[in-house]
mmCIF file of all heavy atoms in Angstrom:
data_model
loop_
_atom_site.group_PDB
_atom_site.id
_atom_site.type_symbol
_atom_site.label_atom_id
_atom_site.label_comp_id
_atom_site.label_asym_id
_atom_site.label_seq_id
_atom_site.Cartn_x
_atom_site.Cartn_y
_atom_site.Cartn_z
ATOM 1 N N SER A 16 -24.038 -6.448 14.760
ATOM 2 C CA SER A 16 -24.035 -5.993 16.203
ATOM 3 C C SER A 16 -24.708 -4.605 16.166
ATOM 4 O O SER A 16 -24.742 -4.014 17.269
ATOM 5 C CB SER A 16 -22.605 -5.910 16.758
ATOM 6 O OG SER A 16 -22.015 -7.235 16.844
ATOM 7 N N GLY A 17 -25.305 -4.152 15.058
ATOM 8 C CA GLY A 17 -25.929 -2.903 15.035
ATOM 9 C C GLY A 17 -25.124 -1.675 14.841
ATOM 10 O O GLY A 17 -25.637 -0.504 14.962
ATOM 11 N N ILE A 18 -23.925 -1.856 14.389
ATOM 12 C CA ILE A 18 -23.013 -0.705 14.080
ATOM 13 C C ILE A 18 -22.926 -0.636 12.536
ATOM 14 O O ILE A 18 -22.388 -1.496 11.862
ATOM 15 C CB ILE A 18 -21.596 -1.003 14.674
ATOM 16 C CG1 ILE A 18 -21.695 -1.147 16.209
ATOM 17 C CG2 ILE A 18 -20.634 0.160 14.361
ATOM 18 C CD1 ILE A 18 -20.331 -1.518 16.811
ATOM 19 N N MET A 56 -23.019 12.474 18.551
ATOM 20 C CA MET A 56 -23.068 11.268 17.744
ATOM 21 C C MET A 56 -22.575 10.085 18.609
ATOM 22 O O MET A 56 -23.190 8.986 18.574
ATOM 23 C CB MET A 56 -22.130 11.383 16.536
ATOM 24 C CG MET A 56 -22.110 10.076 15.698
ATOM 25 S SD MET A 56 -20.906 10.206 14.343
ATOM 26 C CE MET A 56 -19.310 10.253 15.222
ATOM 27 N N ARG A 57 -21.476 10.209 19.397
ATOM 28 C CA ARG A 57 -21.035 9.149 20.219
ATOM 29 C C ARG A 57 -21.985 8.849 21.341
ATOM 30 O O ARG A 57 -22.091 7.727 21.749
ATOM 31 C CB ARG A 57 -19.630 9.500 20.744
ATOM 32 C CG ARG A 57 -18.573 9.663 19.590
ATOM 33 C CD ARG A 57 -17.234 9.883 20.096
ATOM 34 N NE ARG A 57 -16.353 10.244 18.956
ATOM 35 C CZ ARG A 57 -15.905 9.410 17.994
ATOM 36 N NH1 ARG A 57 -16.257 8.154 18.060
ATOM 37 N NH2 ARG A 57 -15.188 9.816 17.005
ATOM 38 N N LEU A 58 -22.578 9.871 21.925
ATOM 39 C CA LEU A 58 -23.492 9.694 23.037
ATOM 40 C C LEU A 58 -24.702 8.935 22.565
ATOM 41 O O LEU A 58 -25.163 8.020 23.221
ATOM 42 C CB LEU A 58 -23.916 11.022 23.600
ATOM 43 C CG LEU A 58 -24.877 10.952 24.854
ATOM 44 C CD1 LEU A 58 -24.236 10.306 26.081
ATOM 45 C CD2 LEU A 58 -25.327 12.423 25.163
ATOM 46 N N ASP A 59 -25.191 9.177 21.391
ATOM 47 C CA ASP A 59 -26.385 8.570 20.883
ATOM 48 C C ASP A 59 -26.129 7.285 20.058
ATOM 49 O O ASP A 59 -27.046 6.581 19.691
ATOM 50 C CB ASP A 59 -27.219 9.583 19.947
ATOM 51 C CG ASP A 59 -27.650 10.797 20.701
ATOM 52 O OD1 ASP A 59 -27.786 10.676 21.910
ATOM 53 O OD2 ASP A 59 -27.921 11.848 20.051
ATOM 54 N N GLY A 60 -24.843 7.036 19.738
ATOM 55 C CA GLY A 60 -24.532 5.998 18.848
ATOM 56 C C GLY A 60 -24.565 4.605 19.568
ATOM 57 O O GLY A 60 -24.626 4.501 20.744
ATOM 58 N N PRO A 61 -24.357 3.533 18.719
ATOM 59 C CA PRO A 61 -24.511 2.224 19.253
ATOM 60 C C PRO A 61 -23.272 1.526 19.694
ATOM 61 O O PRO A 61 -23.342 0.415 20.296
ATOM 62 C CB PRO A 61 -25.066 1.448 18.002
ATOM 63 C CG PRO A 61 -24.327 2.181 16.839
ATOM 64 C CD PRO A 61 -24.269 3.611 17.257
ATOM 65 N N VAL A 62 -22.153 2.152 19.524
ATOM 66 C CA VAL A 62 -20.867 1.470 19.770
ATOM 67 C C VAL A 62 -20.702 0.841 21.149
ATOM 68 O O VAL A 62 -20.434 -0.346 21.364
ATOM 69 C CB VAL A 62 -19.604 2.278 19.321
ATOM 70 C CG1 VAL A 62 -18.313 1.560 19.725
ATOM 71 C CG2 VAL A 62 -19.576 2.517 17.869
ATOM 72 N N LEU A 63 -20.924 1.653 22.148
ATOM 73 C CA LEU A 63 -20.743 1.233 23.537
ATOM 74 C C LEU A 63 -21.747 0.355 24.049
ATOM 75 O O LEU A 63 -21.615 -0.402 25.039
ATOM 76 C CB LEU A 63 -20.505 2.420 24.451
ATOM 77 C CG LEU A 63 -19.364 3.385 24.198
ATOM 78 C CD1 LEU A 63 -19.176 4.376 25.345
ATOM 79 C CD2 LEU A 63 -18.016 2.545 24.050
ATOM 80 N N ARG A 64 -22.931 0.265 23.359
ATOM 81 C CA ARG A 64 -23.967 -0.596 23.668
ATOM 82 C C ARG A 64 -23.947 -1.963 22.892
ATOM 83 O O ARG A 64 -24.623 -2.857 23.227
ATOM 84 C CB ARG A 64 -25.315 0.089 23.490
ATOM 85 C CG ARG A 64 -25.621 1.233 24.297
ATOM 86 C CD ARG A 64 -27.014 1.679 24.214
ATOM 87 N NE ARG A 64 -27.329 2.183 22.775
ATOM 88 C CZ ARG A 64 -27.106 3.450 22.492
ATOM 89 N NH1 ARG A 64 -26.666 4.360 23.196
ATOM 90 N NH2 ARG A 64 -27.473 3.791 21.223
ATOM 91 N N ALA A 65 -23.110 -2.027 21.900
ATOM 92 C CA ALA A 65 -23.070 -3.149 21.074
ATOM 93 C C ALA A 65 -22.479 -4.447 21.701
ATOM 94 O O ALA A 65 -21.701 -4.315 22.651
ATOM 95 C CB ALA A 65 -22.244 -2.899 19.722
ATOM 96 N N ARG A 66 -22.897 -5.566 21.215
ATOM 97 C CA ARG A 66 -22.368 -6.825 21.704
ATOM 98 C C ARG A 66 -21.833 -7.645 20.610
ATOM 99 O O ARG A 66 -22.300 -7.560 19.437
ATOM 100 C CB ARG A 66 -23.424 -7.596 22.472
ATOM 101 C CG ARG A 66 -23.896 -6.901 23.742
ATOM 102 C CD ARG A 66 -22.749 -6.846 24.817
ATOM 103 N NE ARG A 66 -23.042 -6.243 25.995
ATOM 104 C CZ ARG A 66 -22.755 -4.909 26.263
ATOM 105 N NH1 ARG A 66 -22.204 -4.162 25.335
ATOM 106 N NH2 ARG A 66 -23.120 -4.387 27.409
ATOM 107 N N PRO A 67 -20.857 -8.513 20.791
ATOM 108 C CA PRO A 67 -20.377 -9.379 19.738
ATOM 109 C C PRO A 67 -21.315 -10.240 19.039
ATOM 110 O O PRO A 67 -22.380 -10.585 19.654
ATOM 111 C CB PRO A 67 -19.291 -10.241 20.440
ATOM 112 C CG PRO A 67 -19.000 -9.566 21.772
ATOM 113 C CD PRO A 67 -20.204 -8.748 22.132
ATOM 114 N N ASP A 93 -14.528 -0.758 17.843
ATOM 115 C CA ASP A 93 -15.586 -1.052 18.792
ATOM 116 C C ASP A 93 -15.201 -2.004 19.921
ATOM 117 O O ASP A 93 -15.971 -2.169 20.815
ATOM 118 C CB ASP A 93 -16.834 -1.606 18.045
ATOM 119 C CG ASP A 93 -16.438 -2.714 17.079
ATOM 120 O OD1 ASP A 93 -15.619 -3.635 17.431
ATOM 121 O OD2 ASP A 93 -17.038 -2.801 16.001
ATOM 122 N N LEU A 95 -15.153 -5.169 19.948
ATOM 123 C CA LEU A 95 -16.025 -6.362 20.056
ATOM 124 C C LEU A 95 -15.228 -7.692 19.960
ATOM 125 O O LEU A 95 -15.640 -8.697 20.405
ATOM 126 C CB LEU A 95 -17.078 -6.281 18.942
ATOM 127 C CG LEU A 95 -18.116 -5.202 19.241
ATOM 128 C CD1 LEU A 95 -19.173 -5.268 18.146
ATOM 129 C CD2 LEU A 95 -18.785 -5.244 20.605
ATOM 130 N N MET A 98 -14.286 -8.378 23.432
ATOM 131 C CA MET A 98 -15.482 -8.747 24.223
ATOM 132 C C MET A 98 -15.903 -10.206 23.939
ATOM 133 O O MET A 98 -16.430 -10.880 24.761
ATOM 134 C CB MET A 98 -16.638 -7.769 23.918
ATOM 135 C CG MET A 98 -16.491 -6.431 24.534
ATOM 136 S SD MET A 98 -17.904 -5.348 24.208
ATOM 137 C CE MET A 98 -19.147 -6.167 25.159
ATOM 138 N N ARG A 114 -13.364 3.302 22.676
ATOM 139 C CA ARG A 114 -13.706 3.073 24.164
ATOM 140 C C ARG A 114 -12.798 3.877 24.990
ATOM 141 O O ARG A 114 -12.843 3.738 26.263
ATOM 142 C CB ARG A 114 -13.608 1.577 24.448
ATOM 143 C CG ARG A 114 -14.686 0.766 23.714
ATOM 144 C CD ARG A 114 -14.663 -0.714 24.086
ATOM 145 N NE ARG A 114 -15.740 -1.385 23.309
ATOM 146 C CZ ARG A 114 -17.023 -1.469 23.750
ATOM 147 N NH1 ARG A 114 -17.347 -0.938 24.881
ATOM 148 N NH2 ARG A 114 -17.937 -2.063 23.006
ATOM 149 N N LEU A 131 -18.486 10.799 28.051
ATOM 150 C CA LEU A 131 -19.880 10.730 27.646
ATOM 151 C C LEU A 131 -20.775 11.181 28.836
ATOM 152 O O LEU A 131 -21.914 11.739 28.674
ATOM 153 C CB LEU A 131 -20.352 9.479 27.045
ATOM 154 C CG LEU A 131 -19.624 9.154 25.683
ATOM 155 C CD1 LEU A 131 -20.175 7.837 25.126
ATOM 156 C CD2 LEU A 131 -19.849 10.283 24.663
#
Side-chain angles (χ1 to χ4, degrees):
S16 294
I18 301 174
M56 174 186 72
R57 297 185 190 287
L58 182 64
D59 296 337
V62 172
L63 297 188
R64 296 189 295 271
R66 292 294 178 265
D93 50 42
L95 294 182
M98 288 182 66
R114 295 184 178 273
L131 293 182

